[in-house]
Amino acid sequence: MAVTPREGTLVNEPDWDARSLVGLLAAIGVVALIVGLLLGRYLLPASKAPVARSPVEPVGSARPDAEASTAVVAKPSDSGTSQPGTNPPQKPAATPAGLGLPGMPTRTNEFGIPVGYPHTEAGAISACGNYVAAYSFARNREPSHIHAVLTSISETAAASKLADRIIEVDKKNATSFGATSINDPKISFNSRILGFEVQQKTLDAVTVSIWSSASFGAYENSDVNLLPQVRWGTDTCVVHWLGDDWKIVDANDGPGGPFITERAAEGYQRFTYVGGPGS
């Protein structure tokens, strides 16, 4: 299932309820402190010399907004007019204490793909979300550099196998729609990641189902069957902890669906888009 990255980084959000409770208790404590100070000022005799007090630190929100989390993590399409692979690795700004999200990457590589995940289940989920989004981006799928893109996020042998598979599939799809490439201006190739579901997990290996919607077809076609249509489907992403990061060891098209109106869609958990709308 082809998926184009949204603004920012994808991270999973299983800890928000706990964060919200901590934020509420902290806010109650601050209010109680202020009330106590006011009562002491007006009900107790004033001392002869003023007593210096430390300022009360503001309490952070349980769910950070775009500015409070990390710097916007570059996605492949954020490179502007520069050629893929020419952007130097970037490091997002440090996350304010207490506002980090589980699975947060620490940097982006030369292709603008978020990398450097924690050795946790949340890190593996975030890695799969960003990696599937990266290799599903049409410009990254160009035969001239798809191998380099996948080598930057995959185990070496898996990168070559996955790149060859993508090139073959894209060639067949383009031919079926009367184009030479999926990057032909008349081709619609637009997709979005919607959620995830963990299939299997161990300490060093995690299999994640990435749910997404995708539009593929040819604009202004006389054959209605070739016009762009939206489909729902999944990618199965398998990552292993290799060296100091999660790396793809396999990735395949998963089952089609579920439609967003089906009850089965409720089984997929949502990602948080760090630095993007709704963060």
Side-chain angles (χ1 to χ4, degrees):
M1 187 71 180
V3 182
T4 319
R6 290 185 57 179
E7 290 291 335
T9 311
L10 300 172
V11 295
N12 63 319
E13 49 178 316
D15 294 344
W16 281 359
D17 291 341
R19 292 170 181 274
S20 298
L21 179 58
V22 172
L24 177 60
L25 293 177
I28 292 174
V30 172
V31 172
L33 176 60
I34 294 174
V35 172
L37 292 175
L38 291 175
L39 290 176
R41 178 180 179 86
Y42 292 102
L43 296 183
L44 297 177
S47 59
K48 294 183 180 180
V51 179
R53 298 182 182 274
S54 301
V56 179
E57 293 294 331
V59 179
S61 61
R63 178 176 180 175
D65 57 21
E67 295 182 356
S69 55
T70 63
V72 176
V73 180
K75 65 177 183 178
S77 59
D78 281 338
S79 57
T81 58
S82 62
Q83 295 298 315
T86 61
N87 295 330
Q90 302 174 22
K91 184 176 181 180
T95 303
L99 297 183
L101 293 174
M104 183 74 70
T106 58
R107 63 188 186 279
T108 59
N109 66 16
E110 67 270 30
F111 297 99
I113 304 171
V115 294
Y117 298 89
H119 190 186
T120 61
E121 179 186 351
I125 293 168
S126 299
C128 272
N130 282 308
Y131 293 168
V132 171
Y135 74 63
S136 296
F137 179 52
R139 204 188 318 171
N140 280 345
R141 297 169 76 96
E142 283 286 354
S144 60
H145 63 273
I146 181 64
H147 283 86
V149 169
L150 288 171
T151 297
S152 73
I153 57 175
S154 307
E155 185 270 332
T156 304
S160 180
K161 179 176 65 175
L162 183 56
D164 291 342
R165 186 188 307 160
I166 288 175
I167 291 172
E168 185 64 24
V169 168
D170 288 352
K171 182 178 179 180
K172 289 181 179 179
N173 283 337
T175 301
S176 298
F177 286 83
T180 58
S181 167
I182 62 169
N183 283 288
D184 189 305
K186 71 179 181 181
I187 294 295
S188 167
F189 184 28
N190 185 21
S191 47
R192 293 290 186 271
I193 285 181
L194 301 174
F196 67 90
E197 187 176 62
V198 177
Q199 302 295 326
Q200 297 178 0
K201 60 180 179 179
T202 64
L203 181 62
D204 295 322
V206 181
T207 301
V208 185
S209 177
I210 302 295
W211 180 44
S212 57
S213 66
S215 166
F216 194 88
Y219 294 115
E220 302 175 357
N221 202 292
S222 57
D223 186 345
V224 295
N225 295 317
L226 297 181
L227 290 172
Q229 300 179 36
V230 176
R231 296 177 175 85
W232 307 87
T234 59
D235 284 79
T236 300
C237 171
V238 183
V239 291
H240 288 181
W241 184 259
L242 299 173
D244 60 354
D245 206 357
W246 292 104
K247 298 283 188 177
I248 296 176
V249 297
D250 196 16
N252 281 289
D253 285 344
F259 293 105
I260 200 168
T261 54
E262 295 177 345
R263 186 177 297 275
E266 299 175 7
Y268 286 84
Q269 299 182 60
R270 295 185 179 184
F271 285 105
T272 300
Y273 295 91
V274 179
S279 294

